[in-house]
Amino acid sequence: MEMYTVGELASLTNGKVIGDSNKKISEIFYDSRSIVSPKEGIFFALTGNSNGHDYIEEAFTKSIRIFVCSYIPVKHEQATYILVDNPLEALQKWAKEHLKKHPVKTIGITGSNGKTIVKEWLFHALNSEFKVYRSTKSYNSQLGLAISILQMKPGYDLGIFEVGISHPGEMEKQEKVLSPKIGVLTNVLEAHSANFNNKEDLIVEKIKLFKHSEAIICNDLPENRTIIKQLYPDKKIIFFGKEADSDIQLLNIVKQNKSTCLNVKINTKEESFTIPFSDEASIQNALCLLAILVYLNMDVALIKKKFLQLYGISMRLELIHGDNDCLVINDTFNSDLKSLEIALQQLYLQNKPKKILILSDILQSSSKDEELWNQVSTLVNAYPLDQLLLIGEKGAKYKQWFKHTTHIFSTTEEVITYIKKYPPKDSAILLKGARDFGLERISKFLQSQSHDTILEVNLNALRFNVNYFKSLLKPKTKMIAMVKASSYGIGGYEVAETLQLHHMDYLAVAYSDEGVFLRKKGIYLPIMVMNPELSSYQAIIDNDLEPEVYSFRVLEKFTERVKELSIAKKYPIHIKIDTGMCRLGFNPQEIEKLAFQLKENPWIEVKSIFTHLAVSDVPEEKDFTQRQAKLLKSAYDRLVETLGYKPMLHCCNSAGIVNYPEFHFDAVRLGIGMYGYIDHKETLKNLENVVTLQTVISNIHTIQEGGTVSYGRRFRAKKTTRIATLPIGYADGIKRLAGNGRGYVRVNGAIAPIVGSICMDMMMVDVTEILCQEGDEVIVLGESPSLLEYATWCETIPYEILTSISPRVKRIFYKE
């Protein structure tokens, strides 16, 4: 980013400087965990789900000496502070003034989906014609947009930014920062209007971005037309779609295998464009791209050439299990400097003893080679690496600039040969490079599982859901995350590490071996063991786990073990009270005896007292839940009176958090809610889908009328039917109840009914009306069909569906 001084920034943001106003700023940080060897860095103490002022001290220990904050928790003489009313608003003011200082023609892209793809396609279409800057990955929030703008250096002709919102009132703030010259509205979905009354209100909010735009480009859907024309009657509006009076009218499409020919009328002239995709979303995104390029007066022949070169955009960074206990971080979409920095931060955060970077030549830069690789080496050298593997001829010229053990390769195949000879062990391996180098081949080689069926886990969605539930709590209420049963079947360590990175207070597991596994993987958060067994006490103590104590027998036996080991300090335990679940716990009638024994026990310390709500998700049982909470509070008060100190008090699970805010007490226990499900319709709308179970089509065959499918011949074709076989069955966790026409999957976005009996390793679906081929992706479970839909087909609950997904299904964890 461009250099600023503290004084300049304070002037732009109306801040008050305490310290040296001449200090220089060249890096921005807002997350203390991402700070690595900062050079002239500034830390913004943002407030939201957590208070950034709480992490100023950590940032200081990591050599940050300039802070933007609304108050100073601890003043350091070596530090400089810029005091502002609101650090985020200060950051946005800075971004706004930065954009004024370096005026470029700006394009602002908003919508529910397609923003990042349209932005990236537009960048690749224009990058050879202009000097184009585009926002990093999917940085589109109030924070992300400001950060993206501030990364832009002088000299660009065009700036492309995607802009997102979550709540009413946010877009006006975004518009004040960006004020794009050209406004683009991609698809707006009903599903993304959880914080709005309806889809129309969401559209109204999004198009506030175009208040000062000279032109607006959007889909010709009726609601778009009506609202935009009413709000902006005097602006130039370019519509694309199927309507006859649209500026870009789609006449028809011809699909062939993986490509689609779009026959289009541009004003009055008909043209044909071919794109290497056949799905509906790509067609809509291509039409949007076409409308933008036509408005920018790009030659039609050049547009046709650019369309043939379009490719799939991955907006995510994947974390995949590798051989020899390695973790592969696959970020092979692009290799610009900012995305390299983001990926290196993720590598740095991984809890592995060794870290390896495999980096190709950077092709998406307009900088001269020497300047570019000076920046690359400076960035890479700031991070601890055991090995650096460079691929390509450009990076090889500057090998001496890297301080790490560096190896040079001409091709990706040479890297694979090297890895075969010297296989990495217990390492985090980052793959970062341009698409031309095909680094995904290295990823496939390193993966420990190659099953075509995979469970994708969106760690961003997991974090979003956790933050949503945190927003329902008081600031001092702690959160205990349930990661038992391998985080409900999703993946125990990966989920736990994500929660640890984002400052979860406590974790809870069912059995000690789950806690031991997390400790071996480097999880250091406090871990409560809900079902401690007598044989596990040694492992619990050896691994600093905290057992639930639910009976006098358990209290006695665990105390004996602690006493035998002569542990120097009191050992933490958690007391469970049975208030009506009738499963585990001390009865309320036993509290006096329990209080006495705890008071007289010098070897243990009570960390929390809790109960389990039986019907917190059943509104009709409100009286029972209130009675449970009353019994718990009574028992707690009696125990505290005798103990002389106050342990944490908690009872709410996910449903309890939503339905009984008066019982949040000192802590809550979040389980299924953070994984994207809750039995509460309104709250469910606010949660994001975390898991997607997907597979591919193994085989397609045609059967004639009367033909049958699978065991028992339970499906009989009433007409000529195309049947697709999928490599997933009940051994993977698919319930047989979902078969025989009861459930469905999605093939290329279309519904394909499950036909016949589900087999151990395979299932069959009807794709008669769907354009598809062998190898095409199939969604078995995710947004649609949802976890709730699937559980309904199988006459069970979402918990059982998640925990039943077999370990043989490969898990891929990713972050946007």
Side-chain angles (χ1 to χ4, degrees):
M1 61 173 281
E2 185 178 353
M3 186 82 70
Y4 281 80
T5 67
V6 167
E8 289 172 331
L9 177 56
S11 177
L12 293 173
T13 59
N14 299 319
K16 177 184 176 182
V17 178
I18 298 177
D20 186 356
S21 61
N22 294 314
K23 283 185 177 179
K24 295 178 180 179
I25 304 165
S26 60
E27 284 186 285
I28 300 171
F29 297 95
Y30 51 89
D31 186 336
S32 60
R33 294 162 299 184
S34 65
I35 300 171
V36 181
S37 302
K39 182 182 179 181
E40 298 167 330
I42 186 169
F43 180 81
F44 278 76
L46 305 178
T47 56
N49 291 303
S50 60
N51 187 344
H53 296 80
D54 295 340
Y55 303 101
I56 286 178
E57 194 65 21
E58 180 182 344
F60 183 84
T61 63
K62 293 184 175 182
S63 300
I64 294 290
R65 293 295 179 266
I66 308 171
F67 302 91
V68 177
C69 48
S70 54
Y71 62 91
I72 303 173
V74 179
K75 190 173 183 297
H76 293 276
E77 292 303 319
Q78 310 97 308
T80 293
Y81 304 89
I82 302 176
L83 290 178
V84 297
D85 291 334
N86 185 310
L88 175 59
E89 290 179 3
L91 185 67
Q92 291 173 318
K93 286 179 184 177
W94 184 15
K96 178 181 179 179
E97 296 303 320
H98 181 76
L99 201 55
K100 284 183 181 179
K101 184 179 175 183
H102 303 295
V104 297
K105 194 178 188 72
T106 50
I107 299 176
I109 305 174
T110 190
S112 297
N113 59 10
K115 297 187 294 294
T116 304
I117 292 174
V118 170
K119 178 196 70 180
E120 294 295 336
W121 282 358
L122 186 58
F123 172 80
H124 290 292
L126 296 173
N127 199 34
S128 60
E129 312 300 312
F130 306 95
K131 189 170 182 182
V132 183
Y133 176 83
R134 91 286 203 197
S135 52
T136 303
K137 291 207 168 185
S138 55
Y139 273 33
N140 60 41
S141 66
Q142 292 195 67
L143 170 62
L145 175 62
I147 292 292
S148 293
I149 290 173
L150 287 166
Q151 299 299 325
M152 186 178 69
K153 293 183 178 180
Y156 288 99
D157 305 310
L158 192 64
I160 310 171
F161 299 90
E162 59 175 290
V163 185
I165 57 168
S166 301
H167 297 88
E170 290 184 343
M171 191 57 88
E172 290 183 41
K173 298 177 182 178
Q174 298 282 60
E175 195 281 330
K176 286 179 182 178
V177 174
L178 181 62
S179 296
K181 297 292 188 297
I182 300 172
V184 179
L185 181 68
T186 63
N187 196 16
V188 177
L189 301 178
E190 191 78 45
H192 287 240
S193 61
N195 295 313
F196 297 84
N197 293 326
N198 49 50
K199 182 179 177 181
E200 286 70 27
D201 282 357
L202 180 58
I203 294 172
V204 169
E205 180 70 20
K206 286 186 176 291
I207 65 175
K208 288 178 182 177
L209 178 66
F210 310 146
K211 182 177 180 180
H212 294 98
S213 299
E214 62 188 32
I216 300 171
I217 297 165
C218 70
N219 193 293
D220 64 8
L221 293 173
E223 58 265 37
N224 289 346
R225 283 176 173 265
T226 301
I227 295 171
I228 289 178
K229 285 185 174 181
Q230 284 178 351
L231 196 59
Y232 301 118
D234 300 325
K235 290 189 182 293
K236 182 174 180 59
I237 305 172
I238 299 95
F239 289 110
F240 61 87
K242 296 180 180 180
E243 297 296 325
D245 61 343
S246 292
D247 303 88
I248 309 293
Q249 183 193 3
L250 178 62
L251 300 174
N252 60 68
I253 60 175
V254 179
K255 294 185 178 182
Q256 297 177 341
N257 293 328
K258 294 283 187 178
S259 66
T260 304
C261 178
L262 309 176
N263 295 311
V264 175
K265 183 190 286 185
I266 303 175
N267 297 321
T268 59
K269 188 175 181 181
E270 293 188 13
E271 299 283 356
S272 294
F273 301 84
T274 299
I275 60 172
F277 304 98
S278 59
D279 62 286
E280 186 62 30
S282 293
I283 293 170
Q284 289 300 313
N285 291 333
L287 287 173
C288 183
L289 175 65
L290 177 59
I292 302 170
L293 296 177
V294 168
Y295 176 74
L296 293 173
N297 296 315
M298 179 177 277
D299 182 73
V300 170
L302 181 57
I303 295 176
K304 291 181 178 181
K305 179 181 177 182
K306 296 289 187 180
F307 269 39
L308 287 170
Q309 297 170 353
L310 296 177
Y311 53 79
I313 305 291
S314 173
M315 280 84 71
R316 65 195 202 179
L317 182 150
E318 295 180 340
L319 287 80
I320 307 167
H321 289 298
D323 288 328
N324 301 317
D325 203 25
C326 288
L327 176 73
V328 181
I329 306 174
N330 184 14
D331 191 19
T332 56
F333 159 51
N334 58 31
S335 57
D336 60 274
L337 277 171
K338 188 59 185 176
S339 68
L340 174 59
E341 181 183 359
I342 294 169
L344 282 168
Q345 289 173 357
Q346 292 302 318
L347 177 64
Y348 173 72
L349 291 172
Q350 301 310 312
N351 192 21
K352 288 289 183 183
K354 296 180 181 178
K355 295 183 172 63
I356 299 169
L357 169 61
I358 301 176
L359 175 66
S360 78
D361 279 351
I362 294 178
L363 306 180
Q364 295 174 318
S365 175
S366 55
S367 301
K368 293 181 180 179
D369 284 352
E370 186 170 330
E371 176 189 354
L372 172 65
W373 284 94
N374 180 47
Q375 292 175 302
V376 171
S377 61
T378 300
L379 177 58
V380 171
N381 286 340
Y383 289 84
L385 297 175
D386 293 275
Q387 286 190 79
L388 170 63
L389 281 59
L390 293 175
I391 310 174
E393 57 184 36
K394 292 185 179 180
K397 297 178 183 178
Y398 305 100
K399 175 184 176 181
Q400 70 277 9
W401 289 359
F402 295 92
K403 70 177 185 180
H404 308 294
T405 301
T406 305
H407 306 279
I408 303 297
F409 304 91
S410 299
T411 66
T412 296
E413 284 68 29
E414 289 181 10
V415 175
I416 294 174
T417 300
Y418 174 81
I419 293 172
K420 287 179 180 177
K421 188 174 182 180
Y422 305 104
K425 297 179 180 178
D426 202 14
S427 303
I429 306 167
L430 170 60
L431 303 176
K432 192 80 184 82
R435 291 179 61 91
D436 295 8
F437 287 89
L439 298 191
E440 63 273 8
R441 298 197 297 274
I442 301 176
S443 177
K444 290 179 180 178
F445 176 76
L446 289 169
Q447 289 178 29
S448 59
Q449 291 176 291
S450 57
H451 195 4
D452 283 335
T453 298
I454 60 174
L455 183 72
E456 292 189 337
V457 181
N458 185 338
L459 295 176
N460 289 90
L462 177 81
R463 182 186 176 189
F464 176 91
N465 294 339
V466 169
N467 286 337
Y468 171 77
F469 282 99
K470 278 187 177 181
S471 72
L472 304 179
L473 307 177
K474 293 178 182 178
K476 292 187 177 180
T477 303
K478 296 183 181 298
M479 184 174 280
I480 302 166
M482 307 302 295
V483 293
K484 61 181 181 177
S486 192
S487 296
Y488 289 45
I490 292 173
Y493 162 64
E494 292 81 4
V495 170
E497 184 176 50
T498 298
L499 295 171
Q500 180 169 275
L501 284 172
H502 295 291
H503 308 294
M504 182 60 65
D505 298 297
Y506 251 90
L507 301 178
V509 297
Y511 298 104
S512 62
D513 55 355
E514 296 175 325
V516 171
F517 172 76
L518 294 179
R519 285 284 186 253
K520 288 181 178 178
K521 288 289 188 177
I523 299 300
Y524 53 78
L525 286 178
I527 300 175
M528 177 165 40
V529 180
M530 307 296 281
N531 300 317
E533 298 166 303
L534 181 62
S535 60
S536 70
Y537 291 170
Q538 186 67 51
I540 285 174
I541 294 168
D542 288 345
N543 291 277
D544 195 25
L545 307 176
E546 301 178 11
E548 168 190 314
V549 172
Y550 52 83
S551 70
F552 289 109
R553 174 178 172 273
V554 171
L555 179 60
E556 178 188 353
K557 294 296 182 182
F558 189 75
T559 299
E560 286 176 1
R561 195 72 188 117
V562 172
K563 186 177 178 181
E564 287 171 7
L565 296 172
S566 300
I567 296 175
K569 60 181 181 179
K570 291 186 175 184
Y571 202 89
I573 65 170
H574 300 263
I575 297 294
K576 185 168 189 179
I577 309 298
D578 180 14
T579 60
M581 189 75 168
C582 295
R583 198 169 60 175
L584 294 174
F586 291 95
N587 292 323
Q589 297 87 343
E590 299 174 320
I591 298 304
E592 294 297 342
K593 178 182 176 183
L594 174 62
F596 175 77
Q597 290 198 10
L598 292 173
K599 176 70 173 177
E600 297 301 313
N601 191 324
W603 295 280
I604 58 93
E605 176 186 11
V606 180
K607 293 293 288 186
S608 82
I609 299 168
F610 71 102
T611 195
H612 196 107
L613 300 181
V615 284
S616 60
D617 56 346
V618 183
E620 297 79 11
E621 294 279 9
K622 185 175 182 179
D623 289 346
F624 188 87
T625 300
Q626 290 176 330
R627 187 160 60 251
Q628 281 194 278
K630 185 178 179 179
L631 286 170
L632 172 66
K633 187 62 168 63
S634 175
Y636 176 82
D637 290 342
R638 287 153 67 194
L639 288 170
V640 166
E641 183 180 1
T642 303
L643 289 172
Y645 61 90
K646 290 186 175 183
M648 284 192 303
L649 175 65
H650 53 100
C651 69
C652 283
N653 53 11
S654 297
I657 294 172
V658 174
N659 293 324
Y660 296 95
E662 67 270 31
F663 301 145
H664 287 173
F665 298 137
D666 301 311
V668 296
R669 300 190 303 276
L670 181 62
I672 194 73
M674 69 178 163
Y675 304 117
Y677 174 76
I678 189 170
D679 189 10
H680 189 279
K681 289 183 180 179
E682 291 306 311
T683 301
L684 189 57
K685 292 179 183 178
N686 292 311
L687 302 183
E688 293 190 356
N689 181 62
V690 174
V691 297
T692 300
L693 181 61
Q694 65 182 53
T695 188
V696 298
I697 296 175
S698 295
N699 179 250
I700 297 177
H701 49 277
T702 302
I703 61 175
Q704 303 303 316
E705 181 180 354
T708 61
V709 172
S710 195
Y711 294 114
R713 303 181 70 195
R714 294 183 177 89
F715 174 80
R716 293 179 182 270
K718 295 180 180 179
K719 60 179 181 179
T720 300
T721 305
R722 290 176 76 229
I723 299 294
T725 301
L726 315 179
I728 181 172
Y730 58 76
D732 300 292
I734 301 300
K735 304 292 184 183
R736 294 183 81 246
L737 276 169
N740 298 308
R742 201 168 191 180
Y744 67 86
V745 299
R746 285 198 178 267
V747 178
N748 293 330
I751 289 177
I754 302 171
V755 296
S757 298
I758 292 173
C759 309
M760 180 181 288
D761 309 299
M762 286 172 278
M763 60 191 284
M764 282 63 70
V765 298
D766 184 348
V767 294
T768 306
E769 306 298 328
I770 303 173
L771 183 65
C772 60
Q773 60 184 359
E774 293 174 2
D776 279 0
E777 182 182 277
V778 178
I779 301 299
V780 180
L781 174 65
E783 291 279 1
S784 176
S786 69
L787 189 59
L788 179 58
E789 280 182 280
Y790 199 93
T792 302
W793 300 335
C794 300
E795 300 175 11
T796 186
I797 56 176
Y799 300 75
E800 184 179 353
I801 298 300
L802 276 182
T803 56
S804 296
I805 298 174
S806 170
R808 82 175 184 179
V809 174
K810 179 171 66 179
R811 271 73 170 165
I812 294 181
F813 301 84
Y814 68 93
K815 301 177 181 180
E816 297 293 338

